[in-house]
Each structure stands twice: as structure tokens, then as C-alpha cells.
Amino acid sequence: MGMKKKLAGLMALSMMAFGVMAGCGGAQDSGAQAEGGTLRMGTNATFPPYESVDENNNVVGIDADIAQTVADKLGMKLEIINMEFDALIPALNAKQLDFAMAGMTASPERAEQVDFTTPYATGIQAIIVPEDSQIVAIEDLKDKKVGVQTGTTGDKYCSDDLGEEHVQRFESGVVATQALVNGQIDAVVIDNEPAKAYVEANEGLKILDTQYTVEDYAAAIAKDNTEMYDKINGALEELKADGTIDKIIAQYIHE
Ligand code: ARG
């Protein structure tokens, strides 16, 4: 119970912080290129344990830790810019970011717009429902109202499989989960690790024992930015090979 309360508080905080940052214009204020050895990473910190905002307004989590290790390796400073998830790819292509790490699935559609590094983690699309729900399998989502985070792969699968009219988009999985708790929707489709955190933070929810899809997470870089690509991808590959990335992930995910 104490744990649940703490997490719920954390999430409320992270949402507030996000609102404040978004209000300030987020990435718009930062310059055009990596200057003075600062790496600008974009993320959407509503996605624990990959990224969330802590009590001190810092973005923390697996992606933040991996990015810091990458920056250290390159002898650069790291600046994390928190923005809407569906703003990340446009911001990359507008050169407002050097790279994005956001538990982002290296999907073929996105690979037409940005380049993906070698994958560093795996995600599974999970289905969250109320504990007493009649929904037990993916097929049961038909004719239901399913909540997703705008622009995510969960959004795409549900829109393709169920039809747009059965999908309700939210600015984050946190907000989608609140709508589920309030009975406004029948299920939420989102990646399994944040799903666990959302279920932990709320009473009366469960995750179905199904795997909608299994996906690879990778860092994204603008297509014409080959110098940056080589730096980030090179560092990630080394950190993968020497076990650093697995070690960071194991600090947050205990199977
Ligand atoms: N893996 C999913 C996708 O790429 C969801 C990622 C959401 N990430 C986030 N930081 N909110 O679409």
C-alpha cells in the first residue's frame, strides 16, 4: 500500500512537471546543433521505468541512465528535453534534438523518417483492464473503447485492428489509465513495463496474460545526421557489448 501511494504521488508529480515544461515551450527554446559538447536528447517522461519525472523535476529512468552513460563515453554533457511523444520525430527532423530515447519502438514506418540505432531493449504491447473485466483476450477488444498514448505503436495497432472509432488517444499512458479507472474506456494498450507501473499505482486493474506484439526499442536520430548517428550508435554498441546496458536495465526491472 505504501508503495502504491508513493508511485501514485510520483506519477501525479510527473504529470504536473510535464504540464509545466510543455507550457514553457519545451524544445523550441534550445538551439539548432550540438554546441559546446552538449548532447540534446528528447524524451516523453510519462513512461516508467524508462523515463519519468522525479520529485526534483529531473527526468530519471533507464533511458536517462543509458543516455548519460553514452554522453560520458563521448565526453559530452547531456541535456534532456521532455516533450509530447508524437513531437519527438518532428523535433529530430527540425534539428531541435540530437537524438531521442523514449522506449521508442524501431518500427518500419518510423524508419522512413528517422534512423534507428542498434536496439537496446525489448517491449511487449500489453493490455490493461479492470480486475472484473470480461475482456480476457485480444479478440475481446473488438467493439470496445481502447485507450492509447497518441502516436505510439499501441495507437497504430489498435487503430488498424479495431478501427479509429474504437480508439481513444491520450497524451500519456498515465492519463489513459486514469480514464480506465474512471470507467471512460474498457482497456489500455501500452508497453508492458509502464503498464506494470500504472497498475501498481492504481487500485482495481490488471494486465492480461497476452502479448499483443514484441518490439525493439532503439534511439532515433535524424536521417541526414550521420556524424551523430555514428557517435550514438557506436557508444550504444560498446555499452551493449560490455554489459553496461543490461546492468542498467536490471537496476529497474527485476524479473
Ligand atoms: N514503444 C511504444 C512506441 O514506440 C511506446 C513508447 C512511448 N514512450 C514514451 N516515452 N512515452 O510507440
Side-chain angles (χ1 to χ4, degrees):
M1 189 62 207
M3 176 71 177
K4 276 202 178 179
K5 267 216 184 113
K6 207 177 139 208
L7 253 166
L10 241 164
M11 283 197 199
L13 245 172
S14 91
M15 284 171 58
M16 269 164 49
F18 178 61
V20 169
M21 285 198 186
C24 300
Q28 273 96 308
D29 305 330
S30 21
Q33 283 293 322
E35 302 161 310
T38 299
L39 268 182
R40 290 159 319 157
M41 166 185 140
T43 197
N44 170 254
T46 65
F47 201 74
Y50 285 90
E51 46 265 336
S52 54
V53 178
D54 73 4
E55 302 88 359
N56 303 316
N57 232 344
N58 293 316
V59 175
V60 296
I62 294 170
D63 287 338
D65 286 0
I66 293 176
Q68 186 59 58
T69 318
V70 167
D72 290 347
K73 211 178 203 4
L74 298 172
M76 298 175 83
K77 280 183 63 179
L78 178 70
E79 181 192 351
I80 299 182
I81 301 159
N82 191 10
M83 58 176 71
E84 302 278 351
F85 183 75
D86 62 347
L88 288 167
I89 289 181
L92 280 171
N93 287 326
K95 301 283 146 64
Q96 289 162 349
L97 303 172
D98 297 307
F99 69 114
M101 270 183 94
M104 189 186 280
T105 302
S107 72
E109 294 81 13
R110 289 177 185 149
E112 287 172 15
Q113 298 173 268
V114 290
D115 284 337
F116 283 110
T117 61
T118 191
Y120 62 87
T122 304
I124 297 166
Q125 292 302 310
I127 303 169
I128 310 175
V129 294
E131 259 160 15
D132 58 0
S133 175
Q134 304 293 311
I135 300 171
V136 296
I138 295 168
E139 301 77 60
D140 301 331
L141 292 179
K142 273 207 160 40
D143 303 322
K144 295 288 191 304
K145 196 87 182 166
V146 180
V148 296
Q149 181 179 22
T150 308
T152 56
T153 47
D155 181 354
K156 186 182 177 349
Y157 299 132
C158 290
S159 300
D160 288 353
D161 294 352
L162 308 171
E164 299 260 340
E165 66 277 20
H166 293 290
V167 176
Q168 194 161 333
R169 300 190 168 108
F170 296 89
E171 70 170 47
S172 71
V174 179
V175 181
T177 303
Q178 252 147 33
L180 182 62
V181 170
N182 297 339
Q184 293 160 250
I185 52 176
D186 302 301
V188 169
V189 171
I190 191 110
D191 306 47
N192 59 330
E193 289 302 330
K196 284 184 204 164
Y198 303 152
V199 166
E200 179 72 29
N202 290 281
E203 301 286 341
L205 301 180
K206 65 178 181 188
I207 298 173
L208 291 186
D209 192 18
T210 59
Q211 303 195 342
Y212 205 147
T213 52
V214 181
E215 309 175 322
D216 283 330
Y217 293 168
I221 293 134
K223 273 202 176 296
D224 49 10
N225 204 348
T226 40
E227 201 186 314
M228 187 55 64
Y229 183 88
D230 292 343
K231 279 186 185 170
I232 307 275
N233 191 53
L236 277 177
E237 282 185 350
E238 282 177 37
L239 293 167
K240 216 174 140 174
D242 71 10
T244 306
I245 289 183
D246 283 345
K247 219 193 236 158
I248 291 173
I249 293 175
Q251 282 166 10
Y252 292 89
I253 299 172
H254 319 276
E255 300 298 346

